């Protein structure tokens, strides 16, 4: 009896000591691991936000708001916070943060960590708040904090926020909080959003229209002018040819969103399309300069010729050249519809015309769509149902105010199964784009977008109308911007850091990754060794899936080929040669991941084992 009485407090003491030691190991590992790829905060831009603002995803564009890259030590002003980039998570995962805080002023401060949980539309579902803690005054002694949270159901993204709850004026002190080595990790093994060890994805896409696209139906046309539309159609041709050569020279495949007459070689048969409509939304109430289209059929200016006789109006020959070069050709509606003024029946008839015209060209699996005039605002689910039923799984050129983040694939709130590709207008808006073209950026801002895409582990795209890249000195500035941005993107691609692909490829890859999960197991009582299990429930073989591990590995073994990721310099990423992994390694790539479960046996570098 006395032995039991003596053993109970001893056991309690041993458990307490073990937990303290574990906590200390976690704190030491996390602080030393600040710059590693498993830290989802390392190198990312952070926004400063006032705590008086409502809980929402912060404005993502550093073009228009102050951002900075979080470093080893950061200061937070009173009644404000630092908000990180959006990261991808999976329901049920464990996310852990760690950081240390201190104060250099006399008055103590209060701090708190908040993790925002977001759904596919990047809307806030809920948030998890840490307990509020006091940061002591006049002390450089670090106070470490670490906590874990479980990703709630339906959450697909998270955003980290560190908050200074102190008032702005407290006994004459600034009451700032200093934060050191913040880290956020989610899941024992993190699935990167980009393939083959890259850390960002960029697409180049274009709203590419014949004279029967946006030009003849321009909102900005003060009087009906087919000759002006013809001039714009020829410029579209010239710009698309220039882009095709630029991309062929750099081994890039892009996305061209074409209207219906881009798919035609001509219309000598005098066919009609979509019921030969008169669209009652195409008038001054929706900011057309004239009321011409309220009484005239939408396709009434068709010259009924061919691409040889009327090359501005029919672009079927150019479409074939772009297809031969490997580019994605995707719908921009057949008749350049103002979708928000339309109705689902008109959209369905229009899309069916586009798909019918595309089929003879071998375009049978279109999965992405660009809204003319960014006319997606206020759309109800039935509009997106029309697109989804016709194979569309991703959209772009959405209404700018609905863009939740410029570096993350989101989704419409009313249609979460369709992805949204964010975009930056590089150059100048087309005369036919109207008021909803979006803010344009130039060369230097474009280079910054590439830098931020990599820092955020993000995804975005650049776009313009090809007519802005036509022949003539008036287009030199835009051409220079595109040459410079493409050159930098190619440099980062060749350095192994950036994936450049059509919109369809990028959005499909990230959609498939939603069906991939991982687990990390050390067997019963640590016997059998560490194993990473990758579960591919997509039903298809995936390529280039990249895994970030919680520590460096000394050796791996797998029946499936696994490559290791190396960083010979801060600006370069390289994959090992097949069957020649290079160690130590922190990231692994599965060149071919079959459906089902793939097991990878892992031996850790001493001291890099996961803290159990």
């Amino acid at each position: 009896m006395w032995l039991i009485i003596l053993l109970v407090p001893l056991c309690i003491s041993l458990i307490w000591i073990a937990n303290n030691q574990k906590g200390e190991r976690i704190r030491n590992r996390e602080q030393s691991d600040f710059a590693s790829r498993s830290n989802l905060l390392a190198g990312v831009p952070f926004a400063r936000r006032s705590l008086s603002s409502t809980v929402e995803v912060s404005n993502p564009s550093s073009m228009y708001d102050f951002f900075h890259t979080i470093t080893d030590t950061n200061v937070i002003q009173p009644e404000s916070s630092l908000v990180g980039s959006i990261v991808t998570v999976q329901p049920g995962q464990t996310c852990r943060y760690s950081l240390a805080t201190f104060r250099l002023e006399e008055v103590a401060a209060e701090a708190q960590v908040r993790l925002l949980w977001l759904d596919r539309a990047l809307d806030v579902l809920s948030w998890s708040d840490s307990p509020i803690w006091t940061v002591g005054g006049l002390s450089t002694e670090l106070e470490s904090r670490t906590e874990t949270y479980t990703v709630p159901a339906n959450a697909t993204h998270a955003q980290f926020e560190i908050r200074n709850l102190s008032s702005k004026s407290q006994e004459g002190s600034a009451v700032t909080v200093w934060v050191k080595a913040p880290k956020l990790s989610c899941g024992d093994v993190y699935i990167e959003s980009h393939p083959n060890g890259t850390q960002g994805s960029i697409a180049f896409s274009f709203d590419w229209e014949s004279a029967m696209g946006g030009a003849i139906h321009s909102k900005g046309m003060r009087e009906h002018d087919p000759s002006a539309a013809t001039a714009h159609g020829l410029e579209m041709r010239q710009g698309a040819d220039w882009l095709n050569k630029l991309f062929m020279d750099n081994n890039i495949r892009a996305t061209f969103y074409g209207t219906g007459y881009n798919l035609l070689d001509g219309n000598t048969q005098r066919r009609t399309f979509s019921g030969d409509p008169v669209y009652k939304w195409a008038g001054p109430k929706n900011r057309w300069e004239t009321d011409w289209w309220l009484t005239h059929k939408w396709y009434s200016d068709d010259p009924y010729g061919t691409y040889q006789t009327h090359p501005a109006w029919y672009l079927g020959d150019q479409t074939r050249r772009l297809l031969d070069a490997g580019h994605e050709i995707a719908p921009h509606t057949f008749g350049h519809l103002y979708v928000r003024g339309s109705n689902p029946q008109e959209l369905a008839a229009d899309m069916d015309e586009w798909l019918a015209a595309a089929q003879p060209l071998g375009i049978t699996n279109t999965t992405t769509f660009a809204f003319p005039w960014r006319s997606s605002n206020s759309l109800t689910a039935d509009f997106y149902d029309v697109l989804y039923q016709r194979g569309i799984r991703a959209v772009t050129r959405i209404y700018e105010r609905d863009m939740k983040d410029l570096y993350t694939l989101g989704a419409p709130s009313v249609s979460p199964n369709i992805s949204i590709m964010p975009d930056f207008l590089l150059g100048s808006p087309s005369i036919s784009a109207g008021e909803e073209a979006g803010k344009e950026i130039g060369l230097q801002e474009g280079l910054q977008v590439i830098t931020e895409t990599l820092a955020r582990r993000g995804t975005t795209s650049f776009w313009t109308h090809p007519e802005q890249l036509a022949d003539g000195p008036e287009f030199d500035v835009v051409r220079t911007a595109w040459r410079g941005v493409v050159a930098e993107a190619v440099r980062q691609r060749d350095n192994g850091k950036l994936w450049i692909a059509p919109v369809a490829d990028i959005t499909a890859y990230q959609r498939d990754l939603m069906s991939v999960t991982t687990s990390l197991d050390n067997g019963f009582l640590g016997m059998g060794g560490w194993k990473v299990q990758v579960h591919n429930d997509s039903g298809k073989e995936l390529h280039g899936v990249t895994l970030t591990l919680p520590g460096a590995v000394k050796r791996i073994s797998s029946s499936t080929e696994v490559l290791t990721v190396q960083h010979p310099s801060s600006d370069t990423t390289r994959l090992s040669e097949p069957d020649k992994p290079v160690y130590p390694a922190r990231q692994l790539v599965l060149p071919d991941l079959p459906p089902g479960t793939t097991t990878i046996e892992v031996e850790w570098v001493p001291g890099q084992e996961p803290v159990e």
Side-chain angles (χ1 to χ4, degrees):
M1 183 67 177
W2 285 105
L3 180 62
I4 295 175
I5 293 173
L6 291 172
L7 286 177
V8 168
L10 177 62
C11 291
I12 292 174
S13 297
L14 291 174
I15 292 172
W16 182 83
I17 292 171
N19 285 336
N20 271 358
Q21 290 176 338
K22 175 182 176 182
E24 186 63 25
R25 290 200 306 274
I26 290 174
R27 285 190 288 272
N28 291 337
R29 168 70 70 82
E30 298 298 271
Q31 289 193 31
S32 65
D33 221 20
F34 166 71
S36 76
R37 294 293 296 158
S38 62
N39 182 7
L40 301 180
L41 304 180
V44 306
F46 266 60
R48 298 192 189 278
R49 184 163 67 191
S50 169
L51 295 186
S52 61
S53 62
T54 57
V55 175
E56 59 183 7
V57 176
S58 61
N59 189 317
S61 174
S62 62
M63 301 299 152
Y64 319 113
D65 292 280
F66 175 72
F67 272 73
H68 77 290
T69 299
I70 201 162
T71 57
D72 182 73
T73 306
N74 310 267
V75 61
I76 309 176
Q77 300 298 324
E79 296 182 19
S80 66
S81 65
L82 290 177
V83 186
S85 302
I86 293 173
V87 299
T88 302
V89 297
Q90 294 178 332
Q93 270 185 335
T94 296
C95 287
R96 184 175 72 241
Y97 81 84
S98 63
L99 50 79
T101 55
F102 64 95
R103 288 268 299 136
L104 296 179
E105 294 85 9
E106 182 176 356
V107 179
E110 291 186 327
Q112 184 183 49
V113 164
R114 169 171 288 179
L115 279 179
L116 295 167
W117 306 113
L118 317 176
D119 61 14
R120 284 204 63 197
L122 306 183
D123 293 326
V124 176
L125 290 171
S126 60
W127 57 87
S128 298
D129 285 343
S130 73
I132 297 171
W133 73 91
T134 299
V135 184
L138 279 179
S139 173
T140 57
E141 182 178 348
L142 297 178
E143 180 181 355
S144 298
R145 308 285 305 184
T146 183
E147 289 187 70
T148 60
Y149 299 97
T150 300
V151 179
N154 301 319
T156 56
H157 297 84
Q159 195 170 32
F160 176 88
E161 181 179 10
I162 172 69
R163 301 152 58 87
N164 180 354
L165 304 179
S166 307
S167 63
K168 292 184 178 180
S169 178
Q170 190 169 320
E171 299 182 16
S173 175
V175 202
T176 56
V177 171
W178 292 80
V179 180
K180 186 175 178 63
K183 180 176 179 181
L184 175 68
S185 58
C186 291
D188 291 322
V189 177
Y190 188 74
I191 303 172
E192 299 287 345
S193 298
H194 319 285
N196 296 315
T198 56
Q199 63 188 66
S201 301
I202 281 179
F204 297 110
S205 69
F206 306 92
D207 290 3
W208 164 62
E209 306 144 9
S210 77
M212 190 58 89
I216 194 65
H217 303 124
S218 169
K219 289 187 176 188
M221 190 180 289
R222 296 192 174 185
E223 60 182 23
H224 189 64
D225 189 354
S227 63
T230 298
H232 286 294
L234 292 174
E235 289 172 346
M236 286 283 188
R237 265 191 177 274
Q238 293 168 3
D241 282 340
W242 185 86
L243 285 164
N244 193 25
K245 183 179 187 309
L246 176 68
F247 292 144
M248 290 179 68
D249 290 345
N250 289 283
N251 191 27
I252 289 174
R253 295 184 302 125
T255 299
F256 287 82
Y257 289 108
T259 45
Y261 275 55
N262 291 50
L263 307 173
L264 304 180
D265 286 337
N267 189 20
T268 55
Q269 308 96 324
R270 295 178 175 263
R271 289 176 293 169
T272 58
F273 303 100
S274 302
D276 211 11
V278 173
Y279 289 128
K280 295 300 184 181
W281 39 259
K285 72 175 183 179
N286 285 319
R287 300 191 181 182
W288 262 262
E289 291 286 336
T290 74
D291 58 4
W292 173 270
W293 294 112
L294 297 181
T295 55
H296 292 79
K297 292 181 178 180
W298 199 242
Y299 302 104
S300 58
D301 290 289
D302 190 334
Y304 302 121
T306 66
Y307 70 82
Q308 293 97 335
T309 61
H310 296 82
W313 292 82
Y314 315 101
L315 304 185
D317 60 315
Q318 189 173 62
T319 296
R320 285 189 292 274
R321 290 196 297 275
L322 295 173
L323 286 170
D324 290 342
H327 300 301
E328 175 191 5
I329 306 297
H332 192 42
T333 72
F334 191 92
H336 206 264
L337 262 64
Y338 187 64
V339 180
R340 72 179 300 262
S342 181
N343 59 54
Q345 293 72 33
E346 288 178 342
L347 178 60
D350 176 277
M351 284 294 294
D352 288 341
E353 288 287 9
W354 197 99
L355 294 171
Q359 191 167 12
L361 296 169
I363 306 171
T364 57
N365 58 343
T366 52
T367 60
T368 75
F369 172 88
F371 284 101
W373 291 298
R374 292 193 181 271
S375 54
S376 69
N377 45 322
S378 307
L379 293 187
T380 52
D382 45 359
F383 283 91
Y384 287 102
D385 289 344
V386 168
L387 298 175
Y388 193 88
Q389 291 161 7
R390 286 155 180 79
I392 300 302
R393 297 297 180 265
V395 297
T396 191
R397 310 297 180 267
I398 68 164
Y399 185 53
E400 190 175 40
R401 294 178 185 176
D402 289 340
M403 192 90 70
K404 301 288 179 54
D405 191 90
L406 288 171
Y407 297 92
T408 306
L409 293 187
S413 297
V414 298
S415 186
N417 291 323
I418 291 181
S419 300
I420 292 173
M421 170 63 83
D423 57 50
F424 288 89
L425 172 57
L426 180 61
S428 302
S430 167
I431 188 173
S432 56
E435 79 284 356
E436 292 164 324
K439 298 183 181 72
E440 65 267 21
I441 62 173
L443 172 58
Q444 293 306 314
E445 293 164 315
L447 298 178
Q448 183 182 346
V449 167
I450 295 175
T451 299
E452 289 204 19
T453 299
L454 295 175
R456 294 170 184 266
R457 288 163 144 145
T459 300
T460 196
S461 64
F462 294 97
W463 79 283
T464 191
H465 291 87
E467 68 172 336
Q468 296 300 310
L469 298 162
D471 300 335
E474 65 269 33
F475 303 112
D476 285 349
V477 172
V478 181
R479 283 191 174 194
T480 297
W482 273 88
R483 285 194 195 96
V485 166
V486 167
E488 175 61 12
V490 168
R491 186 181 77 84
Q492 297 291 2
R493 179 197 65 189
D494 295 346
N495 282 347
K497 298 180 70 175
L498 183 65
W499 183 32
I500 306 173
V503 176
D505 290 3
I506 293 173
T507 54
Y509 180 81
Q510 294 195 23
R511 184 169 59 250
D512 288 338
L513 281 186
M514 296 178 69
S515 299
V516 179
T517 57
T518 61
S519 58
L520 182 62
D521 179 52
N522 194 21
F524 180 70
L525 297 177
M527 294 183 292
W530 288 91
K531 293 181 176 62
V532 175
Q533 292 191 321
V534 187
H535 313 281
N536 176 9
D537 296 326
S538 69
K540 64 178 77 169
E541 186 172 75
L542 305 180
H543 305 285
V545 174
T546 302
L547 309 176
T548 295
L549 305 178
V553 296
K554 179 180 178 181
R555 187 176 294 107
I556 56 175
S557 175
S558 173
S559 59
T560 300
E561 183 181 15
V562 180
L563 308 179
T564 57
V565 181
Q566 301 297 313
H567 302 280
S569 70
S570 61
D571 200 35
T572 307
T573 298
R574 292 287 180 262
L575 299 184
S576 63
E577 296 180 20
D579 301 320
K580 295 181 180 179
V582 179
Y583 302 109
R586 193 66 179 262
Q587 288 185 302
L588 308 177
V589 169
L590 299 166
D592 305 297
L593 177 63
T597 299
T598 296
T599 300
I600 305 169
E601 297 180 3
V602 174
E603 181 182 346
W604 303 99
V605 171
Q608 290 290 305
E609 303 89 349
V611 179
E612 297 182 89

